[in-house]
């Protein structure tokens, strides 16, 4: 069995941290979008969440790809 290299361990930890950040961004966007307070400020907060999530996913993919080599 082949063990993981140091860069693979670091890459996995980085992707896990990025996944936690994505979870928090999604949670904040969900709470802002589902807020009972009918305020424009919540809409401004919730609107860019899909773009931010896409960017986070792309960064995580690139980091995982680089760590896998």
């Amino acid at each position: 069995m082949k063990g993981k290299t140091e860069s693979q361990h670091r890459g996995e930890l980085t992707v896990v941290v990025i996944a936690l950040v994505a979870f928090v961004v999604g949670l904040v966007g969900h709470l802002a979008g589902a807020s009972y307070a009918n305020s424009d400020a919540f809409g401004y907060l919730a609107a860019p969440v899909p773009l931010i999530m896409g960017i986070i996913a792309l960064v995580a993919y690139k980091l995982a790809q680089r760590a896998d080599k």
Side-chain angles (χ1 to χ4, degrees), residues 25-35 39-55:
V25 168
L27 183 65
V28 168
H30 173 72
L31 291 175
S35 175
S39 173
D40 288 340
F42 290 112
Y44 291 132
L45 184 63
V49 168
L51 176 64
I52 293 170
M53 294 296 287
I55 292 170

